[in-house]
Structure formats: C-alpha cells, structure tokens
PDB file of all heavy atoms in Angstrom:
ATOM      1  N   GLY A  37      92.593  90.127 108.808  1.00  0.00           N
ATOM      2  CA  GLY A  37      93.114  88.775 108.943  1.00  0.00           C
ATOM      3  C   GLY A  37      94.454  88.622 108.259  1.00  0.00           C
ATOM      4  O   GLY A  37      94.996  89.557 107.675  1.00  0.00           O
ATOM      5  N   THR A  38      94.952  87.395 108.325  1.00  0.00           N
ATOM      6  CA  THR A  38      96.263  87.046 107.798  1.00  0.00           C
ATOM      7  C   THR A  38      96.146  85.750 107.017  1.00  0.00           C
ATOM      8  O   THR A  38      95.372  84.873 107.387  1.00  0.00           O
ATOM      9  CB  THR A  38      97.257  86.830 108.963  1.00  0.00           C
ATOM     10  OG1 THR A  38      97.245  87.988 109.787  1.00  0.00           O
ATOM     11  CG2 THR A  38      98.650  86.590 108.469  1.00  0.00           C
ATOM     12  N   SER A  39      96.940  85.620 105.946  1.00  0.00           N
ATOM     13  CA  SER A  39      96.982  84.358 105.223  1.00  0.00           C
ATOM     14  C   SER A  39      97.670  83.310 106.081  1.00  0.00           C
ATOM     15  O   SER A  39      98.317  83.633 107.080  1.00  0.00           O
ATOM     16  CB  SER A  39      97.722  84.530 103.902  1.00  0.00           C
ATOM     17  OG  SER A  39      99.092  84.762 104.143  1.00  0.00           O
ATOM     18  N   LYS A  40      97.547  82.062 105.692  1.00  0.00           N
ATOM     19  CA  LYS A  40      98.119  80.967 106.489  1.00  0.00           C
ATOM     20  C   LYS A  40      99.593  81.146 106.797  1.00  0.00           C
ATOM     21  O   LYS A  40     100.027  80.956 107.904  1.00  0.00           O
ATOM     22  CB  LYS A  40      97.898  79.632 105.776  1.00  0.00           C
ATOM     23  CG  LYS A  40      96.491  79.142 105.877  1.00  0.00           C
ATOM     24  CD  LYS A  40      96.370  77.759 105.267  1.00  0.00           C
ATOM     25  CE  LYS A  40      94.931  77.294 105.371  1.00  0.00           C
ATOM     26  NZ  LYS A  40      94.765  75.949 104.849  1.00  0.00           N
ATOM     27  N   GLY A  41     100.361  81.507 105.822  1.00  0.00           N
ATOM     28  CA  GLY A  41     101.795  81.658 106.042  1.00  0.00           C
ATOM     29  C   GLY A  41     102.200  83.049 106.484  1.00  0.00           C
ATOM     30  O   GLY A  41     103.377  83.361 106.532  1.00  0.00           O
ATOM     31  N   SER A  42     101.259  83.890 106.795  1.00  0.00           N
ATOM     32  CA  SER A  42     101.500  85.285 107.196  1.00  0.00           C
ATOM     33  C   SER A  42     102.200  86.088 106.110  1.00  0.00           C
ATOM     34  O   SER A  42     102.825  87.101 106.385  1.00  0.00           O
ATOM     35  CB  SER A  42     102.300  85.355 108.497  1.00  0.00           C
ATOM     36  OG  SER A  42     101.562  84.791 109.539  1.00  0.00           O
ATOM     37  N   ALA A  43     102.079  85.650 104.853  1.00  0.00           N
ATOM     38  CA  ALA A  43     102.695  86.384 103.749  1.00  0.00           C
ATOM     39  C   ALA A  43     101.775  87.469 103.218  1.00  0.00           C
ATOM     40  O   ALA A  43     102.182  88.286 102.395  1.00  0.00           O
ATOM     41  CB  ALA A  43     103.061  85.422 102.623  1.00  0.00           C
ATOM     42  N   ALA A  44     100.533  87.475 103.675  1.00  0.00           N
ATOM     43  CA  ALA A  44      99.574  88.483 103.222  1.00  0.00           C
ATOM     44  C   ALA A  44      98.627  88.834 104.367  1.00  0.00           C
ATOM     45  O   ALA A  44      98.343  88.001 105.230  1.00  0.00           O
ATOM     46  CB  ALA A  44      98.790  87.969 102.025  1.00  0.00           C
ATOM     47  N   HIS A  45      98.172  90.053 104.358  1.00  0.00           N
ATOM     48  CA  HIS A  45      97.198  90.541 105.336  1.00  0.00           C
ATOM     49  C   HIS A  45      96.063  91.197 104.566  1.00  0.00           C
ATOM     50  O   HIS A  45      96.250  91.676 103.446  1.00  0.00           O
ATOM     51  CB  HIS A  45      97.832  91.579 106.275  1.00  0.00           C
ATOM     52  CG  HIS A  45      98.894  91.033 107.148  1.00  0.00           C
ATOM     53  ND1 HIS A  45      98.636  90.456 108.365  1.00  0.00           N
ATOM     54  CD2 HIS A  45     100.234  90.980 106.987  1.00  0.00           C
ATOM     55  CE1 HIS A  45      99.768  90.073 108.907  1.00  0.00           C
ATOM     56  NE2 HIS A  45     100.757  90.379 108.101  1.00  0.00           N
ATOM     57  N   TYR A  46      94.904  91.265 105.193  1.00  0.00           N
ATOM     58  CA  TYR A  46      93.789  91.961 104.572  1.00  0.00           C
ATOM     59  C   TYR A  46      92.982  92.691 105.630  1.00  0.00           C
ATOM     60  O   TYR A  46      93.044  92.369 106.814  1.00  0.00           O
ATOM     61  CB  TYR A  46      92.889  90.996 103.789  1.00  0.00           C
ATOM     62  CG  TYR A  46      92.204  89.968 104.647  1.00  0.00           C
ATOM     63  CD1 TYR A  46      90.943  90.218 105.189  1.00  0.00           C
ATOM     64  CD2 TYR A  46      92.816  88.753 104.932  1.00  0.00           C
ATOM     65  CE1 TYR A  46      90.316  89.273 106.001  1.00  0.00           C
ATOM     66  CE2 TYR A  46      92.195  87.815 105.729  1.00  0.00           C
ATOM     67  CZ  TYR A  46      90.946  88.068 106.253  1.00  0.00           C
ATOM     68  OH  TYR A  46      90.330  87.149 107.064  1.00  0.00           O
ATOM     69  N   CYS A  47      92.251  93.675 105.166  1.00  0.00           N
ATOM     70  CA  CYS A  47      91.377  94.458 106.031  1.00  0.00           C
ATOM     71  C   CYS A  47      90.135  94.797 105.214  1.00  0.00           C
ATOM     72  O   CYS A  47      90.237  95.139 104.035  1.00  0.00           O
ATOM     73  CB  CYS A  47      92.094  95.729 106.470  1.00  0.00           C
ATOM     74  SG  CYS A  47      91.038  96.882 107.391  1.00  0.00           S
ATOM     75  N   ILE A  48      88.985  94.703 105.850  1.00  0.00           N
ATOM     76  CA  ILE A  48      87.721  95.051 105.214  1.00  0.00           C
ATOM     77  C   ILE A  48      87.042  96.082 106.112  1.00  0.00           C
ATOM     78  O   ILE A  48      87.032  95.929 107.338  1.00  0.00           O
ATOM     79  CB  ILE A  48      86.814  93.818 105.050  1.00  0.00           C
ATOM     80  CG1 ILE A  48      87.522  92.752 104.207  1.00  0.00           C
ATOM     81  CG2 ILE A  48      85.472  94.203 104.439  1.00  0.00           C
ATOM     82  CD1 ILE A  48      86.836  91.400 104.216  1.00  0.00           C
ATOM     83  N   GLY A  49      86.506  97.109 105.499  1.00  0.00           N
ATOM     84  CA  GLY A  49      85.837  98.141 106.278  1.00  0.00           C
ATOM     85  C   GLY A  49      84.769  98.843 105.480  1.00  0.00           C
ATOM     86  O   GLY A  49      84.585  98.580 104.284  1.00  0.00           O
ATOM     87  N   ASN A  50      84.057  99.733 106.141  1.00  0.00           N
ATOM     88  CA  ASN A  50      83.008 100.523 105.514  1.00  0.00           C
ATOM     89  C   ASN A  50      83.392 101.996 105.558  1.00  0.00           C
ATOM     90  O   ASN A  50      83.733 102.516 106.613  1.00  0.00           O
ATOM     91  CB  ASN A  50      81.675 100.324 106.235  1.00  0.00           C
ATOM     92  CG  ASN A  50      81.164  98.915 106.099  1.00  0.00           C
ATOM     93  OD1 ASN A  50      81.251  98.307 105.043  1.00  0.00           O
ATOM     94  ND2 ASN A  50      80.646  98.376 107.180  1.00  0.00           N
ATOM     95  N   MET A  51      83.319 102.627 104.385  1.00  0.00           N
ATOM     96  CA  MET A  51      83.610 104.046 104.285  1.00  0.00           C
ATOM     97  C   MET A  51      82.316 104.784 103.946  1.00  0.00           C
ATOM     98  O   MET A  51      81.674 104.497 102.943  1.00  0.00           O
ATOM     99  CB  MET A  51      84.649 104.306 103.187  1.00  0.00           C
ATOM    100  CG  MET A  51      85.085 105.760 103.104  1.00  0.00           C
ATOM    101  SD  MET A  51      86.257 106.062 101.767  1.00  0.00           S
ATOM    102  CE  MET A  51      85.123 106.265 100.398  1.00  0.00           C
ATOM    103  N   GLU A  52      81.965 105.716 104.801  1.00  0.00           N
ATOM    104  CA  GLU A  52      80.762 106.534 104.588  1.00  0.00           C
ATOM    105  C   GLU A  52      81.169 107.840 103.928  1.00  0.00           C
ATOM    106  O   GLU A  52      82.151 108.473 104.328  1.00  0.00           O
ATOM    107  CB  GLU A  52      80.087 106.851 105.924  1.00  0.00           C
ATOM    108  CG  GLU A  52      79.536 105.655 106.655  1.00  0.00           C
ATOM    109  CD  GLU A  52      78.259 105.112 106.046  1.00  0.00           C
ATOM    110  OE1 GLU A  52      77.502 105.882 105.426  1.00  0.00           O
ATOM    111  OE2 GLU A  52      78.042 103.896 106.179  1.00  0.00           O
ATOM    112  N   THR A  53      80.404 108.247 102.925  1.00  0.00           N
ATOM    113  CA  THR A  53      80.561 109.559 102.311  1.00  0.00           C
ATOM    114  C   THR A  53      79.208 110.267 102.414  1.00  0.00           C
ATOM    115  O   THR A  53      78.236 109.673 102.892  1.00  0.00           O
ATOM    116  CB  THR A  53      80.993 109.461 100.835  1.00  0.00           C
ATOM    117  OG1 THR A  53      79.909 108.959 100.059  1.00  0.00           O
ATOM    118  CG2 THR A  53      82.223 108.572 100.663  1.00  0.00           C
ATOM    119  N   LYS A  54      79.150 111.473 101.933  1.00  0.00           N
ATOM    120  CA  LYS A  54      77.890 112.222 101.979  1.00  0.00           C
ATOM    121  C   LYS A  54      76.799 111.506 101.188  1.00  0.00           C
ATOM    122  O   LYS A  54      75.642 111.465 101.601  1.00  0.00           O
ATOM    123  CB  LYS A  54      78.115 113.630 101.429  1.00  0.00           C
ATOM    124  CG  LYS A  54      76.894 114.501 101.411  1.00  0.00           C
ATOM    125  CD  LYS A  54      77.208 115.857 100.817  1.00  0.00           C
ATOM    126  CE  LYS A  54      75.923 116.639 100.627  1.00  0.00           C
ATOM    127  NZ  LYS A  54      76.126 117.816  99.812  1.00  0.00           N
ATOM    128  N   ASP A  55      77.173 110.921 100.052  1.00  0.00           N
ATOM    129  CA  ASP A  55      76.180 110.359  99.138  1.00  0.00           C
ATOM    130  C   ASP A  55      76.131 108.832  99.073  1.00  0.00           C
ATOM    131  O   ASP A  55      75.203 108.296  98.469  1.00  0.00           O
ATOM    132  CB  ASP A  55      76.443 110.887  97.718  1.00  0.00           C
ATOM    133  CG  ASP A  55      76.336 112.393  97.648  1.00  0.00           C
ATOM    134  OD1 ASP A  55      75.402 112.948  98.256  1.00  0.00           O
ATOM    135  OD2 ASP A  55      77.196 113.016  96.993  1.00  0.00           O
ATOM    136  N   ALA A  56      77.101 108.145  99.658  1.00  0.00           N
ATOM    137  CA  ALA A  56      77.141 106.687  99.489  1.00  0.00           C
ATOM    138  C   ALA A  56      77.954 106.019 100.594  1.00  0.00           C
ATOM    139  O   ALA A  56      78.680 106.671 101.329  1.00  0.00           O
ATOM    140  CB  ALA A  56      77.754 106.336  98.129  1.00  0.00           C
ATOM    141  N   THR A  57      77.804 104.709 100.650  1.00  0.00           N
ATOM    142  CA  THR A  57      78.631 103.870 101.506  1.00  0.00           C
ATOM    143  C   THR A  57      79.439 102.949 100.597  1.00  0.00           C
ATOM    144  O   THR A  57      78.904 102.385  99.644  1.00  0.00           O
ATOM    145  CB  THR A  57      77.762 103.027 102.458  1.00  0.00           C
ATOM    146  OG1 THR A  57      77.004 103.905 103.286  1.00  0.00           O
ATOM    147  CG2 THR A  57      78.615 102.122 103.330  1.00  0.00           C
ATOM    148  N   PHE A  58      80.724 102.811 100.903  1.00  0.00           N
ATOM    149  CA  PHE A  58      81.601 101.936 100.135  1.00  0.00           C
ATOM    150  C   PHE A  58      82.158 100.859 101.055  1.00  0.00           C
ATOM    151  O   PHE A  58      82.568 101.151 102.174  1.00  0.00           O
ATOM    152  CB  PHE A  58      82.766 102.724  99.528  1.00  0.00           C
ATOM    153  CG  PHE A  58      82.361 103.666  98.441  1.00  0.00           C
ATOM    154  CD1 PHE A  58      81.958 104.960  98.743  1.00  0.00           C
ATOM    155  CD2 PHE A  58      82.382 103.271  97.121  1.00  0.00           C
ATOM    156  CE1 PHE A  58      81.582 105.851  97.756  1.00  0.00           C
ATOM    157  CE2 PHE A  58      82.006 104.140  96.110  1.00  0.00           C
ATOM    158  CZ  PHE A  58      81.600 105.431  96.430  1.00  0.00           C
ATOM    159  N   ARG A  59      82.165  99.644 100.564  1.00  0.00           N
ATOM    160  CA  ARG A  59      82.849  98.550 101.244  1.00  0.00           C
ATOM    161  C   ARG A  59      84.278  98.604 100.722  1.00  0.00           C
ATOM    162  O   ARG A  59      84.499  98.610  99.505  1.00  0.00           O
ATOM    163  CB  ARG A  59      82.180  97.222 100.887  1.00  0.00           C
ATOM    164  CG  ARG A  59      82.720  96.051 101.638  1.00  0.00           C
ATOM    165  CD  ARG A  59      82.235  96.089 103.062  1.00  0.00           C
ATOM    166  NE  ARG A  59      82.220  94.734 103.600  1.00  0.00           N
ATOM    167  CZ  ARG A  59      81.785  94.433 104.774  1.00  0.00           C
ATOM    168  NH1 ARG A  59      81.284  95.368 105.554  1.00  0.00           N
ATOM    169  NH2 ARG A  59      81.813  93.221 105.218  1.00  0.00           N
ATOM    170  N   VAL A  60      85.239  98.691 101.618  1.00  0.00           N
ATOM    171  CA  VAL A  60      86.645  98.852 101.239  1.00  0.00           C
ATOM    172  C   VAL A  60      87.406  97.569 101.576  1.00  0.00           C
ATOM    173  O   VAL A  60      87.313  97.065 102.696  1.00  0.00           O
ATOM    174  CB  VAL A  60      87.282 100.058 101.965  1.00  0.00           C
ATOM    175  CG1 VAL A  60      88.736 100.232 101.546  1.00  0.00           C
ATOM    176  CG2 VAL A  60      86.487 101.329 101.705  1.00  0.00           C
ATOM    177  N   TYR A  61      88.136  97.065 100.594  1.00  0.00           N
ATOM    178  CA  TYR A  61      88.957  95.870 100.758  1.00  0.00           C
ATOM    179  C   TYR A  61      90.414  96.272 100.537  1.00  0.00           C
ATOM    180  O   TYR A  61      90.759  96.843  99.509  1.00  0.00           O
ATOM    181  CB  TYR A  61      88.590  94.800  99.734  1.00  0.00           C
ATOM    182  CG  TYR A  61      87.155  94.343  99.829  1.00  0.00           C
ATOM    183  CD1 TYR A  61      86.138  95.017  99.157  1.00  0.00           C
ATOM    184  CD2 TYR A  61      86.809  93.237 100.600  1.00  0.00           C
ATOM    185  CE1 TYR A  61      84.822  94.605  99.247  1.00  0.00           C
ATOM    186  CE2 TYR A  61      85.490  92.813 100.693  1.00  0.00           C
ATOM    187  CZ  TYR A  61      84.506  93.501 100.011  1.00  0.00           C
ATOM    188  OH  TYR A  61      83.199  93.091 100.105  1.00  0.00           O
ATOM    189  N   ILE A  62      91.250  95.958 101.506  1.00  0.00           N
ATOM    190  CA  ILE A  62      92.683  96.266 101.428  1.00  0.00           C
ATOM    191  C   ILE A  62      93.435  94.942 101.526  1.00  0.00           C
ATOM    192  O   ILE A  62      93.247  94.184 102.472  1.00  0.00           O
ATOM    193  CB  ILE A  62      93.119  97.181 102.592  1.00  0.00           C
ATOM    194  CG1 ILE A  62      92.233  98.419 102.667  1.00  0.00           C
ATOM    195  CG2 ILE A  62      94.592  97.551 102.454  1.00  0.00           C
ATOM    196  CD1 ILE A  62      92.328  99.147 103.995  1.00  0.00           C
ATOM    197  N   TYR A  63      94.270  94.664 100.537  1.00  0.00           N
ATOM    198  CA  TYR A  63      95.053  93.436 100.516  1.00  0.00           C
ATOM    199  C   TYR A  63      96.528  93.815 100.474  1.00  0.00           C
ATOM    200  O   TYR A  63      96.961  94.555  99.592  1.00  0.00           O
ATOM    201  CB  TYR A  63      94.682  92.586  99.296  1.00  0.00           C
ATOM    202  CG  TYR A  63      95.452  91.306  99.177  1.00  0.00           C
ATOM    203  CD1 TYR A  63      95.143  90.206  99.971  1.00  0.00           C
ATOM    204  CD2 TYR A  63      96.495  91.195  98.267  1.00  0.00           C
ATOM    205  CE1 TYR A  63      95.861  89.027  99.861  1.00  0.00           C
ATOM    206  CE2 TYR A  63      97.214  90.013  98.153  1.00  0.00           C
ATOM    207  CZ  TYR A  63      96.891  88.943  98.947  1.00  0.00           C
ATOM    208  OH  TYR A  63      97.605  87.770  98.842  1.00  0.00           O
ATOM    209  N   LEU A  64      97.285  93.328 101.452  1.00  0.00           N
ATOM    210  CA  LEU A  64      98.708  93.645 101.549  1.00  0.00           C
ATOM    211  C   LEU A  64      99.536  92.381 101.384  1.00  0.00           C
ATOM    212  O   LEU A  64      99.190  91.334 101.940  1.00  0.00           O
ATOM    213  CB  LEU A  64      99.025  94.252 102.920  1.00  0.00           C
ATOM    214  CG  LEU A  64      98.284  95.519 103.283  1.00  0.00           C
ATOM    215  CD1 LEU A  64      97.200  95.215 104.289  1.00  0.00           C
ATOM    216  CD2 LEU A  64      99.231  96.539 103.851  1.00  0.00           C
ATOM    217  N   GLU A  65     100.629  92.507 100.631  1.00  0.00           N
ATOM    218  CA  GLU A  65     101.572  91.398 100.472  1.00  0.00           C
ATOM    219  C   GLU A  65     102.957  91.836 100.935  1.00  0.00           C
ATOM    220  O   GLU A  65     103.291  93.015 100.870  1.00  0.00           O
ATOM    221  CB  GLU A  65     101.664  90.963  99.008  1.00  0.00           C
ATOM    222  CG  GLU A  65     100.515  90.147  98.543  1.00  0.00           C
ATOM    223  CD  GLU A  65     100.713  89.606  97.138  1.00  0.00           C
ATOM    224  OE1 GLU A  65     101.522  90.160  96.361  1.00  0.00           O
ATOM    225  OE2 GLU A  65     100.047  88.628  96.825  1.00  0.00           O
ATOM    226  N   LYS A  66     103.728  90.854 101.340  1.00  0.00           N
ATOM    227  CA  LYS A  66     105.086  91.140 101.804  1.00  0.00           C
ATOM    228  C   LYS A  66     105.989  91.452 100.612  1.00  0.00           C
ATOM    229  O   LYS A  66     106.058  90.689  99.657  1.00  0.00           O
ATOM    230  CB  LYS A  66     105.639  89.959 102.593  1.00  0.00           C
ATOM    231  CG  LYS A  66     106.880  90.297 103.356  1.00  0.00           C
ATOM    232  CD  LYS A  66     107.186  89.274 104.398  1.00  0.00           C
ATOM    233  CE  LYS A  66     108.277  89.808 105.296  1.00  0.00           C
ATOM    234  NZ  LYS A  66     108.496  88.982 106.439  1.00  0.00           N
ATOM    235  N   VAL A  67     106.641  92.603 100.691  1.00  0.00           N
ATOM    236  CA  VAL A  67     107.602  93.038  99.685  1.00  0.00           C
ATOM    237  C   VAL A  67     108.879  93.342 100.448  1.00  0.00           C
ATOM    238  O   VAL A  67     108.917  94.275 101.251  1.00  0.00           O
ATOM    239  CB  VAL A  67     107.112  94.297  98.926  1.00  0.00           C
ATOM    240  CG1 VAL A  67     108.165  94.785  97.953  1.00  0.00           C
ATOM    241  CG2 VAL A  67     105.794  94.032  98.233  1.00  0.00           C
ATOM    242  N   ALA A  68     109.911  92.541 100.217  1.00  0.00           N
ATOM    243  CA  ALA A  68     111.158  92.632 100.983  1.00  0.00           C
ATOM    244  C   ALA A  68     110.826  92.428 102.460  1.00  0.00           C
ATOM    245  O   ALA A  68     110.311  91.393 102.818  1.00  0.00           O
ATOM    246  CB  ALA A  68     111.882  93.935 100.705  1.00  0.00           C
ATOM    247  N   GLU A  69     111.043  93.426 103.299  1.00  0.00           N
ATOM    248  CA  GLU A  69     110.784  93.285 104.732  1.00  0.00           C
ATOM    249  C   GLU A  69     109.477  93.924 105.184  1.00  0.00           C
ATOM    250  O   GLU A  69     109.126  93.848 106.350  1.00  0.00           O
ATOM    251  CB  GLU A  69     111.958  93.883 105.535  1.00  0.00           C
ATOM    252  CG  GLU A  69     113.265  93.156 105.326  1.00  0.00           C
ATOM    253  CD  GLU A  69     113.194  91.690 105.753  1.00  0.00           C
ATOM    254  OE1 GLU A  69     112.660  91.391 106.837  1.00  0.00           O
ATOM    255  OE2 GLU A  69     113.675  90.836 104.982  1.00  0.00           O
ATOM    256  N   ASP A  70     108.790  94.592 104.265  1.00  0.00           N
ATOM    257  CA  ASP A  70     107.572  95.312 104.622  1.00  0.00           C
ATOM    258  C   ASP A  70     106.356  94.722 103.923  1.00  0.00           C
ATOM    259  O   ASP A  70     106.485  94.025 102.921  1.00  0.00           O
ATOM    260  CB  ASP A  70     107.688  96.787 104.217  1.00  0.00           C
ATOM    261  CG  ASP A  70     108.743  97.526 104.984  1.00  0.00           C
ATOM    262  OD1 ASP A  70     108.886  97.266 106.189  1.00  0.00           O
ATOM    263  OD2 ASP A  70     109.433  98.371 104.380  1.00  0.00           O
ATOM    264  N   PHE A  71     105.185  95.054 104.428  1.00  0.00           N
ATOM    265  CA  PHE A  71     103.942  94.716 103.755  1.00  0.00           C
ATOM    266  C   PHE A  71     103.475  95.950 103.005  1.00  0.00           C
ATOM    267  O   PHE A  71     103.483  97.055 103.546  1.00  0.00           O
ATOM    268  CB  PHE A  71     102.877  94.260 104.753  1.00  0.00           C
ATOM    269  CG  PHE A  71     103.093  92.862 105.230  1.00  0.00           C
ATOM    270  CD1 PHE A  71     103.889  92.607 106.317  1.00  0.00           C
ATOM    271  CD2 PHE A  71     102.515  91.800 104.559  1.00  0.00           C
ATOM    272  CE1 PHE A  71     104.108  91.312 106.758  1.00  0.00           C
ATOM    273  CE2 PHE A  71     102.722  90.493 104.982  1.00  0.00           C
ATOM    274  CZ  PHE A  71     103.523  90.250 106.078  1.00  0.00           C
ATOM    275  N   LYS A  72     103.107  95.763 101.746  1.00  0.00           N
ATOM    276  CA  LYS A  72     102.656  96.855 100.891  1.00  0.00           C
ATOM    277  C   LYS A  72     101.271  96.532 100.350  1.00  0.00           C
ATOM    278  O   LYS A  72     100.934  95.371 100.105  1.00  0.00           O
ATOM    279  CB  LYS A  72     103.623  97.065  99.718  1.00  0.00           C
ATOM    280  CG  LYS A  72     105.018  97.471 100.132  1.00  0.00           C
ATOM    281  CD  LYS A  72     105.036  98.852 100.738  1.00  0.00           C
ATOM    282  CE  LYS A  72     106.442  99.296 101.098  1.00  0.00           C
ATOM    283  NZ  LYS A  72     106.455 100.611 101.697  1.00  0.00           N
TER     284      LYS A  72
END
C-alpha cells in the first residue's frame, strides 16, 4: 500500500525458511527522488 500523500509505501509478506515462518514488513520513505 501507499500512505495518503504517497510519501511512503509498505509491503507485507511471508518468508518461509527450513525451520520457521517470518512475517516481513517493509516500510519505504521518499528520500530525494527515490523511495528507500
């Protein structure tokens, strides 16, 4: 998704490993002209 002003984006996903499952949260903010 995207924040209201499109200044931030996020992604949520599931990462499977041999021994566990991890919920992964990625939050990106605009830095200059790119999202980091």
Side-chain angles (χ1 to χ4, degrees):
T38 306
S39 69
K40 285 185 181 182
S42 296
H45 294 273
Y46 64 91
C47 173
I48 301 168
N50 294 319
M51 185 182 84
E52 295 285 332
T53 70
K54 180 182 172 192
D55 299 318
T57 299
F58 291 88
R59 186 74 154 184
V60 181
Y61 300 87
I62 307 163
Y63 179 77
L64 301 105
E65 283 186 338
K66 193 164 191 171
V67 176
E69 296 299 315
D70 294 322
F71 283 88
K72 297 292 183 181

